Amino acid sequence: MECFDVAVVGAGPAGSAAALAARRGGADVVLLDRSDFPRDKPCGDGIAPEVLDVLAALGVRGVADGYPPVPALRLVSPGGEVVARPLHAGTHTIPRVVFDHRLVTAALGAGVRFRRHRVRSVERLPDRIVLDGTLAARVVIGADGAGSVVRQALGHAGNPPGHLALALRGYAPAPPGPPEQRIVTIPGRWPAYAWSFPIGDGRANVGYGELLRGGPLSREYLLERLRTLMPDLDLDAATGWRGHHLPLSTRRPPPGRGRILLVGDALSLVNPFTGEGIFYAVVSGALAGAAAAASVAGPPADCAPSGTGRGSDRATGSATGTGGAGAADLYRRALARRLHGHLRHTAVTARLGRWPRLVDAAVRAARDDQGVFDTLLAIGLADGRLNLHTLRHIVRHL
Ligand SMILES: Cc1cc2nc3c(=O)[nH]c(=O)nc-3n(C[C@H](O)[C@H](O)[C@H](O)COP(=O)(O)OP(=O)(O)OC[C@H]3O[C@@H](n4cnc5c(N)ncnc54)[C@H](O)[C@@H]3O)c2cc1C
């Protein structure tokens, strides 16, 4: 049996950030994914500038190289109100086949080991977690996305209808005109929207997503909605159509228990308004990795007699850390400090936002006031909060 300090299940942005942070904390880390990299992940590919800040703090630079920031955003509200403004620090559109591969490469460069491995079973022992009977770790970080096996092992079901969205994306020729991110919402099915995010290479990532309310949504339906909302797109020339679930942050399981932590989509950290999840993925991953490393810090102890490799002697505990047992407590506190306030504001905003007239008023307010625009953007793409100035402006525009 191979033994490690920390095993990270899933090598998306959450998993790579977790692996990098744990490695920087001195842990012996293995990163597992069912796919080899590079691999595609259905996504809008919109990377907020705050994502790059989190990655820079982990020592990762150059992930956006070759993908210039998109300088403007145009948003159409459910009632047809329009705001179009420059983005101070533009959002990049980086195909996930590139972005995720760059993050995995950075993790490997930092000394993380990678295994192609689909995790099927998670066994909790008093002093370690065993994956599929073949690999042991003192702490396991579940970064395995919307259908997380690690989350299921903790006894938490996936998000129910009302807290789960479905979106379809493809790559189409970029529409003519200066590059801008375009988001068009829809009155009847709100919350739902179509998007077009130019990549900078003549293509745009385009798609449509909608809250699931109980019934299934077909690919034909999602495509039809996109066609209706963005008639100028050449969808016949589009390629790479793929759909995926988005578990919204309005219903989250606890972030971990004992030696098992959940991050990113596995923890349902997707913004209920915008569908953004990459910022949360890297933030939660970084916090979980740091907590895992801190919890296993200290001199190595004995592992299983059959252990192999440098990590083989580090699975049972230490003098200064908690042997991994306290990882979830450390992580819960760090996550609360960083995101609790923001997530409360997001939940309130999501409840208010179910009322389309309020969204119309917010878009009118954002059109009239750069401060309101910036605040709403920060709530939708990073860890912003509502403020009195924004609320006053929205009420005035009701
Ligand atoms: C259509 C669509 C558009 C989106 N647009 C945006 C956007 O523009 N901007 C944004 O910020 N967010 C967007 N999101 C959300 C974003 O894609 C997710 O929030 C983000 O990918 C979460 O990262 P993650 O690392 O938690 O999970 P993922 O990126 O899903 O990575 C999970 C990894 O785990 C692996 N895995 C799964 N199960 C196992 C297993 N059992 N064993 C081993 N490995 C496993 C998978 O192969 C995968 O590599 C969009 C989502 C969708 C569906």
Side-chain angles (χ1 to χ4, degrees), residues 3 5 14 25 48 63 96 98 110 157 162 179 197 216 277 287 295 323 352 358 389 396:
C3 300
D5 288 334
V63 273
R96 291 286 298 274
V98 174
F197 296 165
L287 295 176
S295 77
L352 292 173
L358 202 80
H389 174 84
R396 204 174 298 153

Side-chain angles (χ1 to χ4, degrees), residues 67-73 86-87 89-93 179-181 197-200:
Y67 297 91
V70 184
L73 170 72
L87 295 165
T91 296
H92 300 258
T93 312
E180 61 177 10
Q181 287 204 331
F197 296 165
I199 295 172

Side-chain angles (χ1 to χ4, degrees), residues 11-13 16 37 39 41 96-104:
S16 286
F37 282 73
R39 63 101 182 84
K41 151 78 175 75
R96 291 286 298 274
V97 68
V98 174
F99 182 71
D100 289 20
H101 187 222
R102 287 180 174 180
L103 294 192
V104 169

Side-chain angles (χ1 to χ4, degrees), residues 128-216:
R128 74 198 67 186
I129 307 294
V130 176
L131 301 175
D132 296 325
T134 59
L135 197 148
R138 289 200 275 176
V139 178
V140 165
I141 299 177
D144 46 344
S148 172
V149 168
V150 180
R151 172 175 169 154
Q152 284 165 32
L154 284 173
H156 305 302
N159 277 26
H163 302 276
L164 187 67
L166 180 67
L168 180 75
R169 76 92 228 257
Y171 292 101
E180 61 177 10
Q181 287 204 331
R182 237 192 320 151
I183 293 178
V184 181
T185 62
I186 184 167
R189 306 293 299 183
W190 175 255
Y193 72 82
W195 72 85
S196 163
F197 296 165
I199 295 172
D201 61 0
R203 295 177 301 157
N205 180 313
V206 301
Y208 174 83
E210 188 174 306
L211 185 72
L212 286 167
R213 295 171 171 84

